[in-house]
Amino acid sequence: MALVGLGYYATNQLAPALQQAQRCRLTGIVTGTPAKADAWSQQYAIPRSHIYNYETFDQIAENPDIDIVYIVLPNGMHAEYTIRAAQAGKHVLCEKPMAVSVQECEAMIAACREAGVKLSIGYRLHFEPHNREAMRLGQGQVFGAVKVVEASFGFRIGNPDQWRLDKELAGGGALMDVGIYAIQAARYVTGEEPLSVTAQEAKTDPVKFREVDETLFWQLEFPSGAVAASTTTYAANVERLFATCERGWFELGPAYGYDGQRGRTSQGPMDFPIITEQTLQMDDFVDCIVNDRPSEVSGEEGLRDMKIIEAIYRAAETGDKVMIA
Ligand code: NAD
């Protein structure tokens, strides 16, 4: 596997997670920074012939030691590099959000289909035990039908010069970056696709958040009658998933970060191990390739969230209830 973009997530989460993987290993890197190439080459014993930059990227096609390319670049670059990796004949893992528009997501799915390669999105929480339990409790109606979900994720963003505040590179603000986890949670707790959304925006720092959203609130309506209310923000830390059902409730907090989840239900605490979900996700993707089965976190799953994200932006902008296609 080759990692593309050696920033925070690749360095601190994915490369260490790969060291524990059973079915894949780090065999290549793509970086525009020569100093990182040297450091990674030494630390992970990656030969020079397996190190690429953004100009030489397409030559990865000739490297038989790289079967999977993992895109860990700013969101606005996901589509281009996913499509180039597919055209190079490599299976693709791409970080969330899948891209910055529905149109890009569709082009990525088409490119992977045409190339005959698999595509999966970095929705690591599908491999995390507390979140899997939330799926089981909700979808399995263990406490009866889910009635109301509150799912929120936000953090206080620092440096005003980072790509996350640049519309072209980020696609949007808190919603694209971390609000997407709350959308995912509402969908995997109910096991349903939302029909419609209403949304409201709050902006307290119009200079820092000139190009992207700072805080958004939204409400989703599901076919069963379940409703979900969410907040995402770059102004403060918030991280929770709460679901109340006909005969009880369950919650996770922290719910989405990678420092360990905790959870409880109306019957008591949850007791699951803290694991490295990224390792499980990467091994699972190898299994999808080897056994030619679809990934639970496929490109189609990324596309569904992007349709909801676009609907939330439209609802916040117009003040109308927006139907989700
Ligand atoms: P980062 O800024 O730390 O890393 C981005 C990398 O891209 C850097 O190495 C940078 O040098 C490189 N890059 C190449 N071209 C660039 C350009 N034109 N502008 C800016 N950087 C450029 O970001 P990150 O936090 O590692 O996030 C990368 C991706 O991973 C994002 O899509 C993010 O949403 C995702 N992510 C996912 C999780 C998760 O838990 N699944 C966590 C963090 C980040």
Side-chain angles (χ1 to χ4, degrees):
M1 179 183 296
L3 290 173
V4 186
L6 308 180
Y8 175 81
Y9 193 56
T11 304
N12 297 302
Q13 302 296 329
L14 297 179
L18 263 167
Q19 303 309 299
Q20 303 169 33
Q22 304 287 313
R23 305 188 68 182
C24 49
R25 63 195 172 88
L26 184 62
T27 49
I29 49 175
V30 180
T31 176
T33 313
K36 285 189 198 168
D38 292 342
W40 282 62
S41 170
Q42 276 205 348
Q43 186 172 356
Y44 295 110
I46 299 168
R48 288 274 142 198
S49 55
H50 292 39
I51 300 177
Y52 302 85
N53 61 36
Y54 299 104
E55 283 71 50
T56 61
F57 177 82
D58 305 282
Q59 293 168 18
I60 219 164
E62 266 85 71
N63 192 328
D65 294 334
I66 297 170
D67 300 308
I68 301 170
V69 166
Y70 195 150
I71 314 294
V72 208
L73 291 164
N75 312 339
M77 301 171 76
H78 290 183
E80 177 188 342
Y81 283 89
T82 293
I83 292 168
R84 283 169 68 178
Q87 286 169 350
K90 306 300 176 183
H91 301 286
V92 187
L93 249 165
C94 176
E95 258 316 315
K96 47 55 60 181
M98 179 172 170
V100 299
S101 70
V102 165
Q103 204 182 2
E104 281 191 350
C105 293
E106 287 170 343
M108 293 158 80
I109 291 170
C112 290
R113 192 182 300 125
E114 266 163 44
V117 298
K118 294 216 181 285
L119 171 60
S120 183
I121 310 303
Y123 289 134
R124 58 187 166 74
L125 294 175
H126 285 248
F127 304 88
E128 193 285 314
H130 298 79
N131 281 270
R132 287 210 72 85
E133 177 67 356
M135 294 175 202
R136 187 187 75 83
L137 294 173
Q139 294 178 28
Q141 304 201 350
V142 173
F143 297 111
V146 176
K147 303 303 286 180
V148 174
V149 178
E150 288 179 8
S152 295
F153 197 14
F155 69 98
R156 193 164 164 75
I157 203 163
N159 176 10
D161 298 323
Q162 61 187 294
W163 66 260
R164 282 183 165 80
L165 301 174
D166 176 324
K167 173 111 165 102
E168 200 170 316
L169 285 168
L175 178 60
M176 284 267 180
D177 191 20
V178 287
I180 192 168
Y181 286 92
I183 297 171
Q184 273 274 304
R187 289 180 53 235
Y188 59 64
V189 162
T190 58
E192 296 179 55
E193 297 305 327
L195 296 172
S196 65
V197 63
T198 46
Q200 305 79 35
E201 181 170 14
K203 199 167 278 204
T204 63
D205 187 341
V207 176
K208 187 167 184 176
F209 301 101
R210 194 171 47 247
E211 297 190 18
V212 300
D213 47 286
E214 177 183 358
T215 301
L216 278 163
F217 308 97
W218 69 93
Q219 304 80 35
L220 298 171
E221 292 179 341
F222 291 89
S224 66
V227 288
S230 293
T231 304
T232 190
T233 181
Y234 271 158
N237 296 331
V238 50
E239 184 181 343
R240 95 192 201 106
L241 169 56
F242 177 82
T244 183
C245 314
E246 288 166 316
R247 295 185 298 277
W249 52 263
F250 53 93
E251 71 178 347
L252 303 183
Y256 316 108
Y258 25 69
D259 295 327
Q261 278 69 14
R262 292 165 71 107
R264 60 189 183 127
T265 78
S266 43
Q267 294 181 337
M270 288 184 190
D271 182 22
F272 293 103
I274 306 297
I275 51 88
T276 305
E277 62 265 25
Q278 292 90 346
T279 304
L280 298 183
Q281 167 155 28
M282 292 188 278
D283 277 342
D284 180 78
F285 190 47
V286 175
D287 194 67
C288 291
I289 294 165
V290 170
N291 293 307
D292 193 20
R293 66 173 175 83
S295 165
E296 179 178 319
V297 288
S298 61
E300 284 76 11
E301 181 75 5
L303 169 63
R304 276 192 281 273
D305 287 338
M306 196 54 60
K307 286 183 175 167
I308 299 169
I309 286 175
E310 287 193 352
I312 292 172
Y313 282 130
R314 206 158 52 244
E317 208 178 290
T318 60
D320 296 335
K321 181 190 274 196
V322 172
M323 302 308 290
I324 298 164

